[in-house]
Amino acid sequence: MSAIVQTNLQYTFKIFDEEFSHLVLLFLVPMMLRGSEDNKLLSLSLLTGLVVACIYVFVMSFLLKITFNKIAFLELLKLHHTYLSIYTLFFVNILLSSISSNKKLRFTTQNIIFSATIIVAFLLLFVLGSKVAMVVYFIFIAFYAFKLFSGKKQCYFLVLFIPILVSCFFIFNQKIDTTYTSALNFRAEIWEQSLNSIKDNPFFGNLKMNEKDILNFYHYKNGKYYLMDSDLNSHNQFLSFLIKYGFVGFIILLFFVFNLFRMKNVRVSKVKINQVIGFFIIMFFTFYIENVFDRHHGIVFFTIFFNYYLVKISDEKA
């Protein structure tokens, strides 16, 4: 409706595929996947796809004699490392919450397998070099470690664990090709022009041009021609929504978050609550540095797993 008012019906249909079609999943998925078994099966299928993709790229990297890294995934599967990382983090979050579901850490076969998988996930994220994913990974590890080793008899584990965690993070920072500071400084320049464009149309956004054209116009006005050459989007999902749909569209997006948390009650287990919080931590940090909804992998991740927890909480509430 906003696009029609700002432009016309013909133009709105013309840009529908580029601007709106991918968002249709936000409304279709909850209608299509209402059963817990369907959601569980789909999640397991996505996990299987993740494992197969990693094995395929690893084997092809060996056969083609190329380095097994994020470039290999991009060239062989056209898959950006950020999206591969958030799928990995989703399952890491589930595994960690499952291990910590017991009050005491028990060395069962299941927990050992889960722990080994979490370590393999760390190695994958290390190879991919996704800075935001590694931050979220360490947040998860730190949270569940304090939860598991909070007792007096187990606190010595923390004394050993914290230096290992810090060392791993330091080694990762030495390995990445772009520092956190330089990555944020680059984005900060784009965010500055994003905020300027939002000020011009704060309530309903600007759908007369696509996001890149809007930002390039503001780069030109402010003499930052080198940013025009990059032809980038805002690299921030929050700002992207505000640019396109204004505060009205942004509030509609927040209703999805509100809809999930309003269903919380005493019957919903702490494990599920921790998983939901972990899911939104993944989304928040990824939204902060990427236009997640501009790529198919991002919109599928959000809609599928948002609905996964929506159904899970609904079932436990009932």
Side-chain angles (χ1 to χ4, degrees), residues 170-209:
F170 178 78
I171 293 170
F172 175 75
N173 286 339
Q174 295 297 311
K175 178 252 181 189
I176 54 179
D177 50 4
T178 306
T179 65
Y180 282 88
T181 304
S182 59
L184 284 175
N185 287 341
F186 173 74
R187 282 172 167 80
E189 291 192 79
I190 302 173
W191 296 343
E192 182 182 357
Q193 306 311 319
S194 299
L195 290 171
N196 288 334
S197 66
I198 291 168
K199 291 176 184 177
D200 287 346
N201 304 279
F203 294 106
F204 296 103
N206 188 341
L207 291 168
K208 296 178 181 178
M209 295 187 290

Side-chain angles (χ1 to χ4, degrees), residues 42-314:
L42 180 57
S43 298
L44 289 174
S45 300
L46 289 171
L47 174 60
T48 303
L50 176 66
V51 173
V52 170
C54 292
I55 294 174
Y56 170 77
V57 174
F58 181 78
V59 171
M60 291 303 296
S61 298
F62 176 77
L63 294 176
L64 297 174
K65 296 181 180 180
I66 60 176
T67 306
F68 177 66
N69 56 16
K70 61 184 179 183
I71 304 300
F73 279 94
L74 193 61
E75 290 183 352
L76 294 172
L77 294 179
K78 308 299 180 185
L79 181 59
H80 193 277
H81 65 279
T82 299
Y83 300 93
L84 180 63
S85 298
I86 62 177
Y87 279 85
T88 304
L89 287 170
F90 174 82
F91 295 108
V92 167
N93 182 39
I94 290 179
L95 295 177
L96 284 169
S97 65
S98 299
I99 293 173
S100 66
S101 59
N102 297 320
K103 293 183 178 180
K104 293 183 179 180
L105 180 62
R106 298 176 181 177
F107 292 98
T108 62
T109 303
Q110 177 180 285
N111 284 347
I112 292 172
I113 293 173
F114 284 179
S115 299
T117 305
I118 291 166
I119 293 171
V120 171
F122 169 77
L123 296 175
L124 175 62
L125 296 176
F126 191 92
V127 167
L128 294 175
S130 175
K131 294 178 284 296
V132 67
M134 196 59 77
V135 168
V136 175
Y137 181 89
F138 282 118
I139 289 174
F140 286 168
I141 293 293
F143 172 77
Y144 286 109
F146 277 101
K147 188 176 179 181
L148 284 170
F149 307 136
S150 58
K152 291 182 180 180
K153 294 182 180 180
Q154 298 171 318
C155 63
Y156 63 89
F157 278 107
L158 283 177
V159 177
L160 297 173
F161 186 76
I162 292 175
I164 294 174
L165 200 64
V166 173
S167 299
C168 289
F169 195 72
F170 178 78
I171 293 170
F172 175 75
N173 286 339
Q174 295 297 311
K175 178 252 181 189
I176 54 179
D177 50 4
T178 306
T179 65
Y180 282 88
T181 304
S182 59
L184 284 175
N185 287 341
F186 173 74
R187 282 172 167 80
E189 291 192 79
I190 302 173
W191 296 343
E192 182 182 357
Q193 306 311 319
S194 299
L195 290 171
N196 288 334
S197 66
I198 291 168
K199 291 176 184 177
D200 287 346
N201 304 279
F203 294 106
F204 296 103
N206 188 341
L207 291 168
K208 296 178 181 178
M209 295 187 290
N210 66 47
E211 184 177 333
K212 291 181 180 180
D213 290 339
I214 293 170
L215 290 177
N216 285 334
F217 172 71
Y218 281 91
H219 295 327
Y220 176 79
K221 281 179 63 177
N222 290 274
K224 298 187 176 183
Y225 307 117
Y226 56 94
L227 290 175
M228 291 178 62
D229 295 335
S230 301
D231 194 34
L232 297 172
N233 57 33
S234 61
H235 274 60
N236 183 300
Q237 189 61 68
F238 303 113
L239 292 176
S240 176
F241 245 73
L242 288 167
I243 291 171
K244 295 177 181 177
Y245 314 117
F247 286 107
V248 173
F250 188 76
I251 291 171
I252 292 173
L253 179 65
L254 292 181
F255 279 140
F256 280 85
V257 180
F258 174 75
N259 187 42
L260 191 60
F261 279 98
R262 76 179 178 83
M263 301 181 70
K264 177 185 177 298
N265 80 10
V266 291
R267 293 186 182 180
V268 181
S269 65
K270 289 184 178 180
V271 173
K272 284 292 179 291
I273 297 301
N274 288 337
Q275 287 182 12
V276 170
I277 293 172
F279 171 71
F280 279 110
I281 287 174
I282 295 171
M283 296 314 305
F284 175 82
F285 278 92
T286 314
F287 276 18
Y288 188 67
I289 56 95
E290 288 289 343
N291 283 27
V292 178
F293 288 168
D294 282 8
R295 288 179 184 258
H296 180 69
H297 297 114
I299 193 72
V300 167
F301 177 85
F302 181 83
T303 52
I304 295 298
F305 293 133
F306 172 84
N307 188 71
Y308 172 83
Y309 285 122
L310 194 66
V311 172
K312 283 282 186 183
I313 291 177
S314 297

